[in-house]
Amino acid sequence: SIQYGEKALTVSGIDDLTRMQILITLSSLYIGTGQNLDKAKAHAGQLIDLAKANKEKEPSEAQWTKMIGAGWFLQGQTAEKAKDMGAAADAYINSYTILKDPKIMAQIKKLAKTLYDAKQFAEAEKVFRTLYNQSKDADSALILGQILYRNNKADEALTLFKEAYAKKRTG
Protein backbone atom coordinates (compact mmCIF):
# COMPACT_ATOMS: atom_id res chain seq x y z
CA SER A 1 0.00 0.00 0.00
CA ILE A 2 2.78 2.39 0.91
CA GLN A 3 4.66 1.73 -2.34
CA TYR A 4 1.55 2.28 -4.45
CA GLY A 5 0.65 5.39 -2.49
CA GLU A 6 4.11 6.87 -2.97
CA LYS A 7 3.91 6.02 -6.67
CA ALA A 8 0.46 7.64 -6.91
CA LEU A 9 1.86 10.91 -5.57
CA THR A 10 4.22 11.10 -8.55
CA VAL A 11 1.43 10.76 -11.12
CA SER A 12 0.64 14.04 -12.82
CA GLY A 13 -2.91 15.25 -13.21
CA ILE A 14 -4.16 14.19 -9.76
CA ASP A 15 -6.53 16.76 -8.32
CA ASP A 16 -5.66 18.29 -4.96
CA LEU A 17 -8.42 16.54 -3.00
CA THR A 18 -7.26 13.11 -4.19
CA ARG A 19 -3.64 14.05 -3.46
CA MET A 20 -4.67 15.04 0.08
CA GLN A 21 -6.47 11.75 0.61
CA ILE A 22 -3.35 9.88 -0.51
CA LEU A 23 -1.20 11.98 1.85
CA ILE A 24 -3.55 11.16 4.75
CA THR A 25 -3.44 7.45 3.94
CA LEU A 26 0.33 7.34 3.55
CA SER A 27 0.95 9.30 6.73
CA SER A 28 -1.42 7.01 8.64
CA LEU A 29 0.28 3.90 7.26
CA TYR A 30 3.73 5.16 8.23
CA ILE A 31 2.49 6.03 11.72
CA GLY A 32 0.81 2.64 12.06
CA THR A 33 3.99 0.78 11.19
CA GLY A 34 6.15 3.09 13.31
CA GLN A 35 8.64 3.28 10.47
CA ASN A 36 9.69 6.28 8.40
CA LEU A 37 8.12 8.73 10.83
CA ASP A 38 9.98 11.48 9.01
CA LYS A 39 7.99 10.63 5.88
CA ALA A 40 4.77 10.55 7.90
CA LYS A 41 5.55 14.01 9.25
CA ALA A 42 6.52 15.28 5.80
CA HIS A 43 3.31 13.97 4.24
CA ALA A 44 1.22 15.54 7.01
CA GLY A 45 3.07 18.82 6.44
CA GLN A 46 2.37 18.61 2.70
CA LEU A 47 -1.28 18.01 3.50
CA ILE A 48 -1.42 21.15 5.66
CA ASP A 49 0.36 23.24 3.02
CA LEU A 50 -1.81 21.99 0.17
CA ALA A 51 -5.00 22.53 2.14
CA LYS A 52 -3.91 26.06 3.12
CA ALA A 53 -3.19 26.89 -0.53
CA ASN A 54 -6.63 25.65 -1.56
CA LYS A 55 -8.28 27.50 1.32
CA GLU A 56 -6.76 30.74 0.04
CA LYS A 57 -8.29 30.07 -3.39
CA GLU A 58 -11.67 28.93 -2.05
CA PRO A 59 -12.14 30.35 1.48
CA SER A 60 -15.80 29.26 1.63
CA GLU A 61 -14.97 25.56 1.24
CA ALA A 62 -15.02 23.94 4.70
CA GLN A 63 -13.27 20.80 3.46
CA TRP A 64 -9.93 22.64 3.28
CA THR A 65 -10.17 23.63 6.93
CA LYS A 66 -10.93 20.02 7.85
CA MET A 67 -7.90 18.88 5.87
CA ILE A 68 -5.68 21.36 7.73
CA GLY A 69 -7.01 20.01 11.04
CA ALA A 70 -6.42 16.43 9.87
CA GLY A 71 -2.85 17.31 8.93
CA TRP A 72 -2.19 18.70 12.40
CA PHE A 73 -3.71 15.59 13.96
CA LEU A 74 -1.39 13.39 11.87
CA GLN A 75 1.54 15.58 12.94
CA GLY A 76 0.51 14.95 16.56
CA GLN A 77 0.31 11.20 16.06
CA THR A 78 3.71 11.20 14.37
CA ALA A 79 5.32 13.20 17.17
CA GLU A 80 3.70 11.01 19.82
CA LYS A 81 4.95 7.86 18.09
CA ALA A 82 8.44 9.43 17.99
CA LYS A 83 8.14 10.16 21.75
CA ASP A 84 8.28 13.94 21.17
CA MET A 85 5.44 14.77 23.54
CA GLY A 86 5.87 18.54 23.39
CA ALA A 87 5.50 18.60 19.60
CA ALA A 88 2.60 16.14 19.86
CA ALA A 89 0.82 18.42 22.31
CA ASP A 90 1.28 21.45 20.06
CA ALA A 91 0.00 19.59 17.00
CA TYR A 92 -3.03 18.11 18.81
CA ILE A 93 -3.90 21.53 20.22
CA ASN A 94 -3.71 23.05 16.72
CA SER A 95 -5.93 20.27 15.40
CA TYR A 96 -8.49 20.67 18.19
CA THR A 97 -8.55 24.44 17.75
CA ILE A 98 -9.55 23.92 14.12
CA LEU A 99 -11.84 20.87 14.31
CA LYS A 100 -13.29 21.00 17.87
CA ASP A 101 -13.57 17.19 17.75
CA PRO A 102 -14.10 15.51 21.17
CA LYS A 103 -11.88 12.60 20.07
CA ILE A 104 -8.99 15.01 19.70
CA MET A 105 -9.69 16.40 23.16
CA ALA A 106 -9.58 12.84 24.52
CA GLN A 107 -6.18 12.39 22.85
CA ILE A 108 -4.96 15.65 24.41
CA LYS A 109 -6.11 14.49 27.87
CA LYS A 110 -4.31 11.18 27.42
CA LEU A 111 -1.14 12.98 26.36
CA ALA A 112 -1.42 15.43 29.26
CA LYS A 113 -1.66 12.56 31.74
CA THR A 114 1.35 10.87 30.14
CA LEU A 115 3.38 14.07 30.51
CA TYR A 116 2.24 14.52 34.11
CA ASP A 117 3.07 10.92 35.03
CA ALA A 118 6.50 11.31 33.41
CA LYS A 119 7.05 14.41 35.59
CA GLN A 120 7.47 16.62 32.52
CA PHE A 121 5.64 19.42 34.27
CA ALA A 122 6.61 22.27 31.94
CA GLU A 123 5.13 20.46 28.93
CA ALA A 124 2.20 19.19 30.99
CA GLU A 125 1.43 22.75 32.11
CA LYS A 126 1.01 23.89 28.51
CA VAL A 127 -1.35 21.01 27.70
CA PHE A 128 -3.38 21.33 30.91
CA ARG A 129 -3.73 25.09 30.37
CA THR A 130 -5.38 24.28 27.05
CA LEU A 131 -7.63 21.72 28.71
CA TYR A 132 -8.54 24.16 31.46
CA ASN A 133 -9.26 26.97 28.98
CA GLN A 134 -11.61 24.67 27.07
CA SER A 135 -13.57 23.26 30.00
CA LYS A 136 -13.07 25.61 33.01
CA ASP A 137 -14.21 22.73 35.24
CA ALA A 138 -13.06 21.95 38.77
CA ASP A 139 -11.02 18.88 37.81
CA SER A 140 -9.02 20.75 35.16
CA ALA A 141 -8.44 23.65 37.57
CA LEU A 142 -7.23 21.25 40.26
CA ILE A 143 -4.79 19.40 38.01
CA LEU A 144 -3.46 22.62 36.49
CA GLY A 145 -3.06 23.99 40.02
CA GLN A 146 -1.02 20.93 41.02
CA ILE A 147 1.22 21.33 37.99
CA LEU A 148 1.70 25.04 38.63
CA TYR A 149 2.61 24.28 42.24
CA ARG A 150 5.21 21.76 41.05
CA ASN A 151 6.54 24.41 38.64
CA ASN A 152 7.06 26.82 41.59
CA LYS A 153 4.10 29.04 40.66
CA ALA A 154 2.39 28.83 44.05
CA ASP A 155 0.36 32.06 43.80
CA GLU A 156 -1.20 31.08 40.49
CA ALA A 157 -1.77 27.56 41.79
CA LEU A 158 -3.55 28.86 44.89
CA THR A 159 -5.94 30.87 42.73
CA LEU A 160 -6.83 27.74 40.77
CA PHE A 161 -7.20 25.65 43.94
CA LYS A 162 -9.65 28.21 45.31
CA GLU A 163 -11.58 28.21 42.05
CA ALA A 164 -11.71 24.41 41.98
CA TYR A 165 -12.92 24.29 45.59
CA ALA A 166 -15.62 26.89 44.91
CA LYS A 167 -16.92 24.77 42.03
CA LYS A 168 -16.60 21.41 43.78
CA ARG A 169 -16.47 21.47 47.57
CA THR A 170 -14.53 18.30 48.32
CA GLY A 171 -11.27 17.50 50.06
Side-chain angles (χ1 to χ4, degrees):
S1 296
I2 290 174
Q3 287 175 332
Y4 287 121
E6 291 289 352
K7 201 176 270 189
L9 287 177
T10 64
V11 173
S12 62
I14 294 177
D15 65 279
D16 286 348
L17 186 58
T18 303
R19 182 172 300 281
M20 285 186 235
Q21 291 169 337
I22 293 169
L23 289 168
I24 290 170
T25 302
L26 282 172
S27 189
S28 297
L29 288 170
Y30 282 126
I31 293 166
T33 63
Q35 298 174 347
N36 291 328
L37 293 177
D38 289 338
K39 276 195 172 189
K41 183 178 180 180
H43 287 323
Q46 289 173 12
L47 172 64
I48 293 168
D49 293 341
L50 190 56
K52 283 181 179 178
N54 278 287
K55 185 175 172 76
E56 286 177 15
K57 290 185 237 172
E58 302 175 279
S60 63
E61 285 290 326
Q63 68 183 350
W64 307 130
T65 302
K66 290 178 183 176
M67 289 294 186
I68 295 168
W72 281 115
F73 185 76
L74 290 167
Q75 291 265 342
Q77 286 185 317
T78 303
E80 190 172 1
K81 193 78 161 186
K83 306 280 190 248
D84 185 354
M85 299 307 179
D90 290 339
Y92 284 141
I93 289 166
N94 285 335
S95 180
Y96 181 78
T97 301
I98 293 168
L99 299 175
K100 303 291 188 217
D101 186 333
K103 292 176 188 171
I104 299 170
M105 183 54 74
Q107 193 69 27
I108 293 171
K109 286 180 181 179
K110 179 182 158 205
L111 179 63
K113 179 161 177 18
T114 300
L115 290 168
Y116 183 81
D117 292 344
K119 298 186 184 334
Q120 295 178 355
F121 298 121
E123 294 293 336
E125 178 182 339
K126 181 171 47 172
V127 179
F128 274 108
R129 275 192 192 279
T130 300
L131 290 173
Y132 171 73
N133 289 334
Q134 294 296 323
S135 65
K136 299 281 188 189
D137 66 345
D139 294 332
S140 296
L142 178 63
I143 294 170
L144 179 57
Q146 291 170 340
I147 291 169
L148 290 170
Y149 182 75
R150 290 181 185 260
N151 283 339
N152 297 318
K153 298 177 182 177
D155 293 339
E156 196 176 347
L158 183 58
T159 302
L160 284 167
F161 289 144
K162 288 178 180 178
E163 181 182 322
Y165 184 73
K167 291 179 180 178
K168 190 175 181 182
R169 296 187 178 271
T170 65

